Amino acid sequence: MAEDQGLRINIFKIFIVFIFLTYAVRLFSMQILSGDVYLTRAMDISRRTYTIPAQRGEIYDRNYDQPLAINRDSYAVSITPAEVPRGRMEEVAASISAIMGIPVSDIMSRLPSQYLQLYQPVEIASNVPFRTIASLAERKNTLPGVSWNIKPLRNYVNVGSLSHIVGYVGDITRDELTTLYNLGYQLGDVIGKSGIEKQYDELLKGRPGWETRTVDSRGRRISGRENIMRVSPEMGRNLILSIDANLQRLVERALGTQIGAAIVMKPSTGEILAMVSYPWYDPNIFTGGQSGEYRALTEDPNKPLFNRAIQSNYPPASTFKIIMTTANLCESVFSPDQHILCPGVIRYGNRDWNCHIRVPGHGRLNMRGALAQSCNIYYMTLGRDYLGVERIVSYAMEYGYGEISGIDLPGEIPGFIPTPQWKERQYHERWVLGDTMNMSIGQGFTLVTPLQMCNMVSMIVNNGTIYRPHVLKEVRDPVTNAIERVTMPEIIHESSISSAIFEEVRQDMRGVVSQGTAQYPLNIRAVQIAGKSGTAEIGLADRWHSWFTAYAPFNSTDPDEQIVVTVIIEASNYQVWRASAASAIIFQGYFANQNYEAAIRSLGFQYMLASEVQQ
């Protein structure tokens, strides 16, 4: 019995020695052999990493001398949820609400339950004034987890009508973060919401930096340079637009307070020199926290957030007769020299079809005269009896109607070209010749955007080539100013129509200005213009959409000299002369190097100044 007891004691001693040796070896390994590894882990546990926002790249006009979007410093306030003691989040939120004037519900909405163990700061407010930061600092000891940092704020400089092109920025939403997380975006980022800011956000946003600080067991920062690791942020790229800011202001004044849009484009490259959509808005309200003004914009029936140049479509009206002219010249179904009688009104089916001159009508006209005088009867007869809907649809699509151009701005719509098959599917009705007559004069179901109208004229100027419209000219390094990228002209369509046909169309368009419906006010001294007007019916007895689209110089052989101008005035504020008058001002100002006031005096349009004063 004594021997068994001694054996058990010896085994127990051996076991104790074994345990001791095992722990000794393990401690030696941890402290001596792997000491650096565990020291690093310990340091990591006692550190907090903070993101340093990068400044967005700046945006300039084509001459690189007028900034459109720059940055200014402001403060942002954040909460690190895991640093707030359990159960005190609402108390801390209430204290912040009292200091900053933010509803508690807004603060808590940014801190859902799944964030409560997060050691990453969650931004709850931006564009915070310094006096508010000072108030927070005074109560720092009673606001666990609350911090603040300098955050670059977007500032739009004298943007005016360029708001639709430049766009605006805002805080990333949860839905956006879900989509963009793999691209390096994170909570609290500012991203582009519209315009160039959205289209080229990855170029503009830059690369955020970070700062790691050592903290004690209570999460308080430990002072000393050795306790700070920092990687500086990298500013985003600067963007140079194709927009000429001075021309933009001229176009803005020429359009005035008429709801509509105007575009100036270089047909030889696709560069957008000016693009105005009225009404416009101030993008600074999106960075200034002016929620009331934003709500007013969204509820405004005139839709100021809408870029009508690419996001609205209208019946093309008589401008569509350019396509009809092209189709007839190509198909040779009716001699351009042969005449059609316009009595002012014709009876077809169970209704009267009117020309814009009802009594006594235009009389007998050939095709050139019909385009110059914008004769409805001629083109309705041409479409119904000779061309037919299939040919008309084909040539409309040849000009790019019914498709987006791919301009580097978000939100472009394709317009619409109807077909007999579409009508049967949509309305369960057959296409009739009356539909063809309507389509032949740009009425009915056909819809085009102002940008598509520009592309149509550009194709005529370029003998069948359309270049992709674009508003980005260059990308530059923000530090060295070196050009990193240049937008080159990109062909999106080349027509098989012969250059001789386009030459005839150009001559016919010149006749519209030199001796037709656009003779006044477009037949100006500064430059020779070729174009077409249009008046689109929308079902109102006294109001119509008003179009004018043209190019100049007509007599130039250098494509780099030529520009295309398109103006649309909506029926809600219809003035029959305004689209043509606005176009004349733009051409006069551009080619005579004049500002708005000088241009209207050269044209004898002083009455427009008087109307502005009255408004």
Side-chain angles (χ1 to χ4, degrees), residues 8 10 29 64 89 149 156 179 197 204 217-218 239-240 254 263 269 274 303 347 349 400 437 474 504 531 537 552:
R8 286 196 295 268
N10 289 333
S29 174
Y64 203 17
M89 183 62 77
N149 61 282
Y156 299 98
T179 304
E197 293 276 28
L204 288 165
S217 60
R218 298 179 62 183
L239 303 187
I240 317 302
I263 304 174
T269 62
K303 299 181 179 179
R347 186 76 179 175
M437 294 170 71
E474 297 171 353
E504 178 62 28
E537 297 179 3

Side-chain angles (χ1 to χ4, degrees), residues 437-502:
M437 294 170 71
N438 261 330
M439 189 176 189
S440 299
I441 59 171
Q443 294 291 161
F445 303 111
T446 305
L447 296 170
V448 302
T449 68
L451 183 60
Q452 287 174 329
M453 193 74 75
C454 270
N455 278 342
M456 178 191 73
V457 179
S458 295
M459 180 171 162
I460 294 167
V461 174
N462 295 332
N463 286 323
T465 300
I466 301 177
Y467 293 94
R468 188 179 306 282
H470 61 273
V471 293
L472 178 65
K473 182 185 177 187
E474 297 171 353
V475 178
R476 291 182 178 245
D477 186 285
V479 178
T480 66
N481 203 32
I483 297 176
E484 297 182 342
R485 169 177 157 189
V486 175
T487 303
M488 302 301 294
E490 178 187 352
I491 295 174
I492 59 173
H493 180 70
E494 285 188 287
S495 175
S496 59
I497 299 173
S498 71
S499 58
I501 297 292
F502 287 117

